[in-house]
Amino acid sequence: MPHAARTERYGLIGTGHRAQMYIDALAGTHAQAGQLMAWSDTNPVRVDYYEKRLRAAGHLLPARYDADEIERMISHEKLDRVIVTSPDFTHAEIVSRCLLAGVDVVVEKPITINAAGVRLIESALAESGKQVLTTFNYRYSPRNSALKEVIKSDRIGEVTSVHFEWVLDTVHGADYFRRWHRDKTKSGGLLIHKASHHFDLVNWWIAASPTRVYASGGLRFYGADNAAARGLAPSPERGTGHAEHDPFALDLTRDERLKALYLDAEHVDGYLRDRSVFDSGITIEDNLALLVDYDTGATMSYSLNAHSPWEGYRVVINGTQGRAELNVVERGAALIDANGVVILDPSAQPGASGDDEVRPASETLTVQRHWESAVIVPISAGAGAHGGGDEQMLFDVFGRVTSDSLDRPAGFLDGVRAVSVGIAGNQSLETGLPVNIHELEFGRVFV
């Protein structure tokens, strides 16, 4: 894929864990397409960490700005685009301010966590005439692209229904209950922070928009009440210093990067990255199930579990001419090594999770047409994190690819369609009733 015609001037807002992918890309493979001119974070210690990394590699350092200096940063540095990797609940304000300041925006999913955020960004888009790119890296994973090709080629006919099951294991899944994500007012819960990936995949796979959502779920494994009901002893407030005999505890001193970004930074803002998953104050769900209707007439049954012994997903697409099944094992078992260490997110660090003889890391796409035997569809090899999706996505982000036969680049409307399922699902959880998405107060945007 070609690079941009000229080197663009980038800013970055939010220098947490996810920011590294973009920083490394602009300092390496995509340096010809863009230059990181400025960055900002509410916690200067995290900026210090990335400055140290760039300095050690011999790169020029971006200018540093305070978190409330968005407009000044954009104007003074003459930026073309800003990458937003801050916490979810800040996206709407930051994205809209960047747009109104005259730049295009690249924003990590989810684009926002509620209808008010959608309206704010939509208004800024209309006023500014700029653009928003939402980064859905799973679209670019070869296995997911292969399923898209099967559906688009009409091998299984018109899609009638989808079954989608995603399981997060007791390491990766538990991690959402340690961080700021545990507060639903900040993340929108897993239906938005995590599942917006999955809802976007379905929207994209079947080329449809969601219209109605009915949700059920709750906090059934993590949290103080569930721990007490199972007879677990009260756990320390945090894992650091207490993780030796607790597989659910995270000791930040055992991971150099997490220590530098969070433990060494917590004296500034008090944010604890290693909270106990069994303490009080958790307001998100760990078991979720949805029924979703689409404008094409298709339906989806969806489930998410955040305390599985293995991690991966299963997708079934039923059509008028057959059926496609995608089975992915990202980690066959969540096991603690002799040092009490385990990889937090197997999808982000391929090959680091070890082998499991019974449930090996794997990906299989099976297609079976009516009156025919099943066949295995080859999946091209993907390099890098998230099933090979990150590397491919970055070419679109920094190359501004204008032609993609699979329509993988995602804009504002794609971002809204993805979070609309979670927003409606959260409302359904509150009311116990199905929710029509067109009745949500999204403003003028077509969902």
Side-chain angles (χ1 to χ4, degrees):
M1 296 183 182
H3 285 300
R6 70 179 183 87
T7 299
E8 294 192 303
R9 300 170 69 87
Y10 278 84
L12 176 75
I13 299 177
T15 54
H17 198 272
R18 186 62 176 164
Q20 182 167 321
M21 177 182 74
Y22 300 99
I23 294 170
D24 289 351
L26 287 171
T29 305
H30 300 279
Q32 293 181 0
Q35 182 177 357
L36 185 57
M37 304 300 301
W39 51 19
S40 173
D41 194 286
T42 56
N43 194 313
V45 176
R46 285 193 278 274
V47 184
D48 291 343
Y49 169 77
Y50 286 111
E51 280 192 351
K52 182 179 179 180
R53 291 182 79 253
L54 288 184
R55 187 182 293 110
H59 296 290
L60 295 176
L61 299 182
R64 183 189 293 219
Y65 287 81
D66 291 339
D68 59 355
E69 295 183 304
I70 293 175
E71 291 80 5
R72 178 173 172 269
M73 178 178 75
I74 291 170
S75 174
H76 192 263
E77 302 297 334
K78 298 180 175 60
L79 301 182
D80 299 299
R81 305 175 91 193
V82 170
I83 301 167
V84 178
T85 56
S86 57
D88 302 352
F89 67 98
T90 69
H91 285 183
E93 178 187 355
I94 291 173
V95 169
S96 61
R97 287 176 63 182
C98 289
L99 292 169
L100 293 174
V103 295
D104 293 333
V105 176
V106 177
V107 59
E108 274 286 301
K109 66 83 196 165
I111 192 168
T112 185
I113 65 172
N114 53 37
V118 172
R119 293 194 300 273
L120 190 64
I121 297 174
E122 180 193 28
S123 176
L125 280 168
E127 182 176 342
S128 67
K130 307 306 288 186
Q131 296 181 335
V132 170
L133 175 67
T134 310
T135 56
F136 287 116
N137 50 3
Y138 264 109
R139 288 188 178 196
Y140 295 84
S141 172
R143 61 203 182 211
N144 296 329
S145 293
L147 178 55
K148 173 68 174 179
E149 289 174 340
V150 166
I151 298 169
K152 188 174 182 180
S153 67
D154 205 36
R155 288 179 67 177
I156 62 170
E158 180 182 345
V159 174
T160 60
S161 65
V162 179
H163 173 69
F164 197 155
E165 176 190 15
W166 198 291
V167 291
L168 297 164
D169 65 31
T170 45
V171 179
H172 185 199
D175 205 39
Y176 295 104
F177 298 82
R178 302 184 183 106
R179 308 182 261 172
W180 56 263
H181 307 73
R182 60 173 21 210
D183 183 346
K184 202 167 189 177
T185 64
K186 290 181 167 58
S187 67
L190 293 181
L191 277 185
I192 291 181
H193 176 79
K194 185 63 180 176
S196 61
H197 257 320
H198 315 155
F199 302 145
D200 173 71
L201 280 175
V202 176
N203 297 343
W204 171 66
W205 276 328
I206 71 174
S209 293
T211 58
R212 189 176 71 154
V213 178
Y214 176 72
S216 179
L219 182 65
R220 297 167 182 166
F221 183 80
Y222 302 108
D225 291 344
N226 292 316
R230 295 199 300 275
L232 300 181
S235 57
E237 179 186 15
R238 62 184 310 176
T240 300
H242 303 281
E244 185 174 353
H245 303 293
D246 184 357
F248 285 99
L250 173 66
D251 189 335
L252 295 174
T253 64
R254 296 178 177 176
D255 186 304
E256 181 180 350
R257 186 178 175 201
L258 291 179
K259 179 181 181 297
L261 287 174
Y262 301 106
L263 184 63
D264 295 346
E266 64 186 38
H267 68 277
V268 176
D269 54 19
Y271 171 57
L272 301 182
R273 172 65 177 78
D274 57 348
R275 297 284 298 274
S276 168
V277 300
F278 295 118
D279 66 9
S280 58
I282 297 174
T283 57
I284 65 173
E285 300 82 13
D286 53 25
N287 281 258
L288 290 156
L290 275 73
L291 291 175
V292 184
D293 294 333
Y294 293 87
D295 59 359
T296 58
T299 59
M300 174 177 67
S301 59
Y302 171 85
S303 67
L304 175 65
N305 180 282
H307 55 89
S308 169
W310 68 280
E311 180 146 330
Y313 58 102
R314 294 167 171 163
V315 183
V316 175
I317 311 286
N318 294 300
T320 55
Q321 297 181 37
R323 174 181 174 105
E325 302 171 6
L326 176 62
N327 292 286
V328 177
V329 176
E330 292 183 332
R331 175 159 52 196
L335 304 174
I336 306 296
D337 68 16
N339 297 316
V341 178
V342 69
I343 299 298
L344 285 178
D345 182 355
S347 66
Q349 301 185 53
S353 300
D355 296 323
D356 186 277
E357 293 182 1
V358 175
R359 199 192 301 273
S362 60
E363 51 187 18
T364 305
L365 176 57
T366 306
V367 172
Q368 186 166 11
R369 290 170 53 83
H370 292 158
W371 321 116
E372 296 179 8
S373 298
V375 296
I376 300 296
V377 176
I379 299 173
S380 61
H386 295 102
D390 282 352
E391 289 299 318
Q392 289 297 314
M393 181 188 72
L394 288 172
F395 279 99
D396 269 345
V397 170
F398 296 118
R400 298 246 191 172
V401 175
T402 58
S403 178
D404 185 331
S405 63
L406 297 181
D407 301 318
R408 288 175 293 191
F412 171 66
L413 289 180
D414 298 296
V416 174
R417 291 187 180 105
V419 297
S420 70
V421 180
I423 294 171
N426 281 332
Q427 182 172 319
S428 180
L429 288 172
E430 292 177 4
T431 65
L433 300 171
V435 174
N436 292 314
I437 291 178
H438 76 270
E439 294 177 355
L440 297 174
E441 297 179 357
F442 280 147
R444 299 178 303 275
V445 67
F446 173 72
V447 176

